[in-house]
Amino acid sequence: MNIKIAVLSGDGIGPEVIAEALKVLEMVGQYTCHEFSLTHGLVGGEAIERTGSALPDETLALARASDAVLFGAVGDPKFDDPGLKMRPEDGLLALRKELGLFANLRPVMVYDELVDGAIFKPDIIRGADFIFVRELTGGLYFGQPKKRWTVPEGRRAVDSMAYSEQEIERLVRLGFELARARRRKLTSVDKANVLESSRLWREVTNDVARDYPEVALEHMLVDTCAMRILLTPRDFDVLVTENTFGDILTDEASLLAGSMGMLPSASLAGVPREVERAFGLYEPIHGSAPAIAGKDIANPIATILTLAMMLRYSCALPEEAGLVERAVARVLKMGYRTGDIMSEGKKQVGTKEMGDIIVREIAA
């Protein structure tokens, strides 16, 4: 099988963690005899500096011509001025919109090996294993009107949380499909006690639920969900929610896993099937972390697990995905840690060494 992958390393620690994922991918290719054709492109801050655009036309064309996109991170403090017309993050948002990536999958799994070093009581988080399905192309980030203006009384701004029935239905249906293949429980997160868009969300979710009688559905307000994630995380299986809520809740959930450096994600343009490819963009959730860029201390595990998601959903290679995931689990069991997940009695390693150790475990 020949699989075309667009590699967009981006800014900050993006190039470092992507480099480790590509070492893993090379070993998977040798182990399985699949061919992965890689083409690199510009995105984010580096793209702005070199081309004047956060998403050059060439990069978008490359992504469209590929089977999947492996993405590092975007963001650079030099672009933090709110008066700038273009920011690195614009490249990622444009990719999601242009490629029709409507669903973001963010699995949260607590490894037994990291429980004792977490900030939570082990009894609370041990065994937690759930997945967020976050809507990506609607809501506050894309809704119109979105503008700033000045009136005699001062400056004003507006963002609109807008959703259509069709946008909600396709996202929720994907959540039900995933739940049906897991523990058959779906939690729909909204703010239906206040927001009209959430009331529509709840109505459409109830409509879709009729097609999945085997899946238990519960509705939960976002503020309640934010507490429950930290108090009773083992209660969850699949959670579906809109763009902004999902952005916040998934970052919060990273505390359970020990670090943002442990959480992968996939942004999909379709419903994944076990033997079919779904086009997707794959990125770790941790962002560009410019303060630690170039220091060989970033945790590459999130990106390596992101690569495993790419193998599963866009390459239709579930066995190879499992090979990578099991290698990561074994390395953690052996006691290797990057600084963000370090605990007493373990062996601290850098970005490159962690990647090398995982590669060796795949080859073992």
Side-chain angles (χ1 to χ4, degrees):
M1 184 185 299
N2 183 284
I3 301 168
K4 295 183 291 184
I5 300 171
V7 180
L8 310 182
S9 298
D11 308 318
I13 63 172
E16 298 173 63
V17 293
I18 286 291
E20 301 315 304
L22 293 182
K23 291 194 301 192
V24 170
L25 184 63
E26 181 180 5
M27 178 54 66
V28 169
Q30 294 177 10
Y31 184 89
T32 62
C33 298
H34 295 300
E35 182 179 350
F36 300 98
S37 299
L38 309 179
T39 307
H40 294 258
L42 296 174
V43 72
E46 183 184 15
I48 294 174
E49 292 183 331
R50 294 177 61 175
T51 71
S53 171
L55 179 62
D57 291 341
E58 295 82 1
T59 300
L60 180 58
L62 168 63
R64 284 176 168 157
S66 301
D67 296 308
V69 178
L70 185 60
F71 193 96
V74 289
D76 191 308
K78 70 180 69 173
F79 296 97
D80 285 349
D81 182 354
L84 293 177
K85 294 183 178 180
M86 185 174 296
R87 299 168 60 88
E89 293 80 2
D90 293 338
L92 178 56
L93 293 177
L95 269 173
R96 290 172 178 170
K97 195 73 172 181
E98 293 293 332
L99 299 176
L101 303 170
F102 68 88
N104 181 230
L105 276 56
R106 293 191 175 187
V108 179
M109 187 175 74
V110 178
Y111 287 87
D112 285 347
E113 293 77 16
L114 301 182
V115 166
D116 291 334
I119 62 175
F120 299 93
K121 293 180 179 179
D123 291 346
I124 292 177
I125 65 173
R126 191 185 306 276
D129 179 7
F130 56 90
I131 185 168
F132 274 97
V133 184
R134 166 192 168 194
E135 204 285 324
L136 270 190
T137 58
L140 283 174
Y141 295 172
F142 295 99
Q144 297 297 327
K146 177 188 291 288
K147 64 178 181 177
R148 290 182 58 177
W149 71 99
T150 302
V151 297
E153 294 78 17
R155 291 169 290 180
R156 303 198 67 178
V158 63
D159 294 286
S160 302
M161 183 180 286
Y163 273 106
S164 68
E165 177 180 356
Q166 292 74 23
E167 289 174 316
I168 299 168
E169 191 273 340
R170 66 182 180 180
L171 191 282
V172 170
R173 189 168 296 279
L174 172 55
F176 273 107
E177 289 287 338
L178 291 173
R180 184 159 63 178
R182 288 171 53 95
R183 301 195 304 276
R184 299 190 174 187
K185 180 180 179 180
L186 186 135
T187 303
S188 179
V189 182
D190 60 38
K191 192 63 175 171
N193 60 333
V194 177
L195 301 177
E196 284 296 335
S197 58
S198 282
R199 291 171 188 141
L200 176 62
W201 186 285
R202 189 169 289 204
E203 291 174 6
V204 174
T205 300
N206 285 333
D207 292 341
V208 176
R210 296 188 183 99
D211 296 334
Y212 298 90
E214 71 276 30
V215 177
L217 168 65
E218 68 173 341
H219 297 284
M220 189 174 294
L221 297 177
V222 63
D223 39 1
T224 301
C225 184
M227 292 185 289
R228 290 273 302 277
I229 285 173
L230 302 183
L231 294 175
T232 57
R234 289 180 294 187
D235 288 350
F236 295 109
D237 181 20
V238 177
L239 301 93
V240 295
T241 191
E242 67 86 40
N243 206 341
T244 307
F245 298 159
D247 193 1
I248 296 168
L249 291 173
T250 52
D251 284 357
E252 178 196 27
S254 69
L255 294 173
L256 301 173
S259 166
M260 280 191 177
M262 292 298 299
L263 293 191
S265 82
S267 300
L268 303 180
V271 178
R273 310 288 185 185
E274 188 168 342
V275 294
E276 298 177 9
R277 300 188 195 183
F279 179 82
L281 180 147
Y282 298 85
E283 60 171 322
I285 80 161
H286 52 57
S288 61
I292 64 171
K295 298 181 180 180
D296 192 39
I297 59 176
N299 187 346
I301 289 179
T303 311
I304 291 169
L305 292 175
T306 293
L307 175 73
M309 294 184 76
M310 184 190 76
L311 292 171
R312 176 171 284 110
Y313 296 134
S314 286
C315 304
L317 298 174
E319 292 184 7
E320 289 77 357
L323 181 70
V324 174
E325 291 161 348
R326 290 191 298 273
V328 169
R330 289 197 302 272
V331 168
L332 292 174
K333 191 171 185 178
M334 292 160 62
Y336 292 103
R337 304 285 189 271
T338 46
D340 58 317
I341 54 173
M342 185 61 185
S343 59
E344 186 177 354
K346 307 305 179 182
K347 182 178 180 180
Q348 185 166 341
V349 297
T351 308
K352 295 178 181 178
E353 187 174 0
M354 179 61 85
D356 289 340
I357 295 168
I358 293 172
V359 167
R360 288 202 299 268
E361 277 303 300
I362 293 173

